[in-house]
């Protein structure tokens, strides 16, 4: 290990986080989330550990969001041209068959792609992606219908839902516009994970930040949210 470098742990908003602390001659406390999601902090030897960790606590929401974003960027996306796709945590082998019409059907744990020309890879990708997009629209709108009543008592109006593929976050909330956005990549994970992400975004209509009050509300409305979040680390 490099001179002046140590590994430590800190609890941020109830989550146990490991970080590397390097003591060196710097003017300020410097914090960086690496591409692999690890946390690096540098500070002068004259700055106490208490001050360093108080600084980290004040930026806990940003740290946790950055860690999640870095880890999400490393996870694979369903490939419409692959030999299989994953839907709600279940792997579905893809079989291409020739037919007079073109379309996609899920049957007996397998995805069937019917093509007039089975060598047309572009058409295959187009059909599978359209199928996945349709699943996202159906499933995630249903998730919002189930999660919204949990937050309605806090005076939150039911928001509009948008779906798109994102590389650094599972969802986002535009609370001033009455809209949440859900990452289509969630279709690969168990439905419990999508419910957690959706409620997370709904809670931002009450607490727009990642403060202790925000996580307290999450805990109240979904006591098992931490276990659900771990589902997102399974791929």
């Amino acid at each position: 290990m490099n001179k002046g470098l140590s590994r430590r742990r800190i609890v941020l908003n109830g989550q146990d986080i490991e970080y590397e602390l390097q003591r060196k001659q710097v003017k300020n406390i410097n914090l960086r989330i690496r591409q692999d999601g690890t946390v690096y902090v540098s500070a002068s030897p004259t700055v106490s550990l208490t001050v360093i960790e108080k600084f980290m606590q004040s930026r806990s929401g940003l740290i946790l969001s950055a860690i999640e974003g870095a880890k999400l960027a490393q996870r694979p996306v369903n490939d419409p041209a692959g030999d299989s796709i994953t839907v709600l945590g279940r792997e579905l082998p893809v079989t291409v068959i020739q037919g007079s019409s073109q379309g996609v059907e899920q049957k007996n744990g397998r995805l069937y792609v019917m093509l007039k020309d089975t060598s047309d890879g572009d058409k295959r990708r187009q059909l599978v992606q359209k199928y996945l997009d349709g699943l996202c629209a159906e499933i995630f709108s249903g998730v919002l219908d189930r999660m919204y009543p949990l937050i309605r008592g806090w005076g939150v109006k039911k928001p509009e839902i948008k779906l798109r593929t994102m590389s650094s976050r599972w969802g986002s909330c535009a609370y001033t516009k009455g809209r949440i956005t859900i990452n289509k990549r969630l279709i690969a994970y168990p439905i419990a994970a999508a419910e957690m992400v959706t409620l997370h975004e709904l809670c931002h209509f009450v607490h727009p930040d990642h403060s202790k009050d925000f996580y307290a509300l999450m805990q109240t409305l979904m006591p098992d949210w931490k276990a659900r979040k771990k589902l997102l680390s399974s791929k």
Side-chain angles (χ1 to χ4, degrees):
M1 183 175 292
N2 295 336
K3 184 178 180 180
L5 187 66
S6 61
R7 285 189 173 89
R8 306 192 62 86
R9 306 195 76 85
I10 185 173
V11 176
L12 301 176
N13 291 333
Q15 298 185 54
D16 185 56
I17 303 297
E18 182 181 87
Y19 69 97
E20 292 183 0
L21 174 61
Q22 185 164 29
R23 296 291 194 170
K24 60 182 182 179
Q25 295 302 327
V26 291
K27 184 177 181 180
N28 302 309
I29 300 173
N30 300 305
L31 172 67
R32 179 160 58 96
I33 311 300
R34 300 190 182 101
Q35 288 186 344
D36 62 358
T38 57
V39 182
Y40 170 82
V41 180
S42 62
S44 167
T46 61
V47 179
S48 70
L49 183 61
T50 299
V51 171
I52 292 170
E53 297 202 339
K54 185 177 180 180
F55 171 82
M56 294 179 70
Q57 290 287 355
S58 71
R59 289 158 175 77
S60 57
L62 292 174
I63 293 171
L64 294 173
S65 294
I67 292 172
E68 181 177 334
K71 291 181 177 179
L72 173 57
Q74 300 175 55
R75 297 191 184 118
V77 185
N78 263 326
D79 180 6
D83 295 329
S84 66
I85 63 169
T86 305
V87 175
L88 300 181
R90 183 183 180 189
E91 186 175 358
L92 302 177
V94 176
T95 298
V96 178
I97 56 178
Q98 189 174 31
S100 57
S101 60
Q102 301 190 120
V104 176
E105 180 183 14
Q106 181 180 332
K107 185 177 180 181
N108 299 326
R110 184 175 290 270
L111 198 72
Y112 293 92
V113 183
M114 184 176 293
L115 294 170
K116 294 178 181 178
D117 178 2
T118 58
S119 66
D120 190 344
D122 288 341
K123 190 62 179 180
R124 171 187 165 170
R125 282 190 291 271
Q126 179 185 346
L127 289 172
V128 174
Q129 189 59 61
K130 183 179 180 180
Y131 174 78
L132 287 171
D133 289 347
L135 274 183
C136 287
E138 177 186 352
I139 291 171
F140 295 149
S141 62
V143 168
L144 177 60
D145 288 343
R146 294 195 301 277
M147 294 299 102
Y148 171 67
L150 297 179
I151 199 75
R152 183 168 48 201
W154 273 258
V156 176
K157 294 183 179 180
K158 189 175 182 180
E160 175 189 9
I161 185 172
K162 294 283 188 179
L163 305 174
R164 69 185 183 95
T165 300
M166 297 183 281
S167 62
S168 62
R169 57 178 63 184
W170 291 114
S172 64
C173 173
Y175 60 91
T176 60
K177 298 179 179 179
R179 183 177 70 234
I180 64 171
T181 301
I182 300 299
N183 194 337
K184 290 193 289 187
R185 293 170 68 176
L186 275 169
I187 197 64
Y189 295 83
I191 195 69
E195 291 173 344
M196 184 279 296
V197 170
T198 301
L199 183 61
H200 179 114
E201 301 311 329
L202 290 172
C203 285
H204 279 313
F205 285 99
V206 181
H207 300 291
D209 51 20
H210 287 104
S211 63
K212 290 182 179 179
D213 290 338
F214 169 85
Y215 286 105
L217 180 58
M218 278 291 294
Q219 188 67 30
T220 297
L221 299 181
M222 185 178 281
D224 65 340
W225 74 269
K226 291 180 183 178
R228 292 169 181 251
K229 186 174 183 178
K230 289 180 179 179
L231 295 171
L232 296 173
S233 303
S234 62
K235 289 179 69 66

